[in-house]
């Protein structure tokens, strides 16, 4: 009788433990989903801010040009931001201008040779003209994307292992039933199979979330690259024209406003 009571208590405690494990897995999965959602919202917010900043800078430059302000304060702008040429930055905010955070910092103007070299002019823009905030945001996106891709690869490998384990347990159960094995062994195999199936479903869900995260980060990084291209194009044409006037270059040289043909790797 004592053994029966002990067995009953053991079974009850096993049931309680199983319930607690189930609750823990559910909470862990919910937390993982919330983290992915927060990351997605942060990436979307960053992309929206980048798009807003780029559109504002384009509008600001066009309004100054339309009202003749570019010609009136050319000397003042050269003294304040020599690298920006004809394209003035928007007013500084708490966040800082996206092009040229340190407007008052005096730098030697870029040479005509630098500006005519696609890779050199892009490297100059990224290191000395593009704002620290924009550079940091782009590097953060690249790091987060690399981390998310690594996690997705690990998750994919784990999904494969879980799927193989489920398949092996199914084969084991089928063989056990075919051989007329004991009910206790059958119950043990089924219990393991249920656990592995649940783990497999959890990992598949996590992998899907990671894939969505990778897609969102890639979209944000693509938006950052378009921002870089637009900012560079807005800076390069007037800076090149200014350098040509300063160094006596040909006034008919390329002034289209399009960025020079820098190799694809230069934009990464």
């Amino acid at each position: 009788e004592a053994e029966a009571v002990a067995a009953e208590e053991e079974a009850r405690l096993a049931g309680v433990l199983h319930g607690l494990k189930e609750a823990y897995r559910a909470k862990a999965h919910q937390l993982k989903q919330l983290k992915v959602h927060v990351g997605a919202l942060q990436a979307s917010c960053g992309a929206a801010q980048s798009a807003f900043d780029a559109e504002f800078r384009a509008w600001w430059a066009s309004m100054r040009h339309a009202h003749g302000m570019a010609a009136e304060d050319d000397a003042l702008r050269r003294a304040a931001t020599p690298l920006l040429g004809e394209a003035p930055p928007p007013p500084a905010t708490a966040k800082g201008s996206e092009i040229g955070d340190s407007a008052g910092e005096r730098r030697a103007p870029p040479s005509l040779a630098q500006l005519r070299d696609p890779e050199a002019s892009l490297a100059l823009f990224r290191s000395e003209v593009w704002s620290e905030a924009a550079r940091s945001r782009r590097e953060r996106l690249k790091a987060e994307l690399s981390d998310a891709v690594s996690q997705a690869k690990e998750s994919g490998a784990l999904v494969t292992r879980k799927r193989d384990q489920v398949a092996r347990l199914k084969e084991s159960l089928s063989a056990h039933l075919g051989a007329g094995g004991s009910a206790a062994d059958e119950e043990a195999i089924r219990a393991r199979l249920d656990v592995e199936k649940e783990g497999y479903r959890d990992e598949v869900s996590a992998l899907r979330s990671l894939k969505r995260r990778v897609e969102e980060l890639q979209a944000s990084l693509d938006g950052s690259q378009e921002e870089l291209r637009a900012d560079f194009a807005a800076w390069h044409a007037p800076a090149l024209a200014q350098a040509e006037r300063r160094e006596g270059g040909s006034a008919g040289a390329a002034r289209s406003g399009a960025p020079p043909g820098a190799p694809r790797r230069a934009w990464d």
Side-chain angles (χ1 to χ4, degrees):
E1 183 178 348
E3 290 181 358
V5 171
E8 182 179 350
E9 179 64 11
E10 182 179 355
R12 185 187 70 79
L13 291 175
V16 171
L17 178 61
H18 179 73
L20 291 173
K21 286 182 176 179
E22 291 293 315
Y24 172 78
R25 278 194 288 264
K27 291 294 183 182
H29 179 67
Q30 184 181 14
L31 178 60
K32 189 181 297 184
Q33 294 285 63
L34 287 172
K35 286 182 177 179
V36 170
H37 183 59
V38 168
L41 288 175
Q42 288 177 331
S44 298
C45 182
Q49 182 67 51
S50 297
F52 170 80
D53 291 343
E55 290 184 13
F56 175 74
R57 286 193 300 278
W59 170 83
W60 176 262
S62 66
M63 289 297 99
R64 289 175 65 86
H65 180 75
H67 291 278
M69 296 176 67
E72 293 175 6
D73 61 358
D74 181 67
L76 177 61
R77 285 188 292 106
R78 281 201 304 270
T81 54
L83 281 176
L84 293 178
E86 302 293 336
T93 64
K95 182 181 175 183
S97 304
E98 289 298 317
I99 299 182
D101 279 332
S102 52
E105 183 180 346
R106 299 299 300 271
R107 302 186 185 97
S111 68
L112 186 58
Q114 280 180 304
L115 292 169
R116 284 178 172 172
D117 183 281
E119 291 193 55
S121 57
L122 179 57
L124 173 70
F125 177 80
R126 293 180 67 163
S127 64
E128 297 188 21
V129 181
W130 213 31
S131 75
E132 178 64 29
R135 289 197 303 271
S136 298
R137 183 167 61 247
R138 181 167 174 79
E139 291 306 312
R140 175 180 56 79
L141 285 171
K142 289 165 69 174
E144 289 182 3
L145 177 60
S146 177
D147 184 57
V149 169
S150 297
Q151 291 182 35
K153 288 180 179 179
E154 293 175 4
S155 181
L158 184 55
V159 165
T160 299
R161 291 197 297 271
K162 290 285 187 182
R163 183 174 59 239
D164 293 344
Q165 181 66 14
V166 167
R168 285 193 294 270
L169 285 171
K170 285 182 177 179
E171 292 174 359
S172 178
L173 179 60
S174 178
H176 182 80
L177 293 174
S182 68
D185 288 344
E186 177 186 345
E187 183 178 354
I189 295 173
R190 288 186 183 279
R192 288 181 58 199
L193 181 58
D194 288 342
V195 170
E196 291 297 331
K197 281 182 177 179
E198 183 178 356
Y200 172 72
R201 285 192 293 267
D202 288 345
E203 289 303 326
V204 168
S205 178
L207 179 58
R208 288 173 180 165
S209 297
L210 284 168
K211 285 183 176 179
R212 286 195 298 270
R213 174 70 171 149
V214 167
E215 292 170 357
E216 290 161 355
L217 285 170
Q218 185 61 61
S220 297
L221 188 59
D222 290 344
S224 174
Q225 177 136 322
E226 289 306 311
E227 178 188 2
L228 171 61
R229 288 180 183 274
D231 289 348
F232 176 68
W235 167 81
H236 182 262
L240 177 60
Q242 187 181 50
E244 287 170 346
R245 290 194 300 271
R246 184 178 61 248
E247 300 185 24
S250 171
R255 298 182 185 181
S256 65
R264 173 67 178 83
R265 66 178 182 277
W267 297 97
D268 294 335

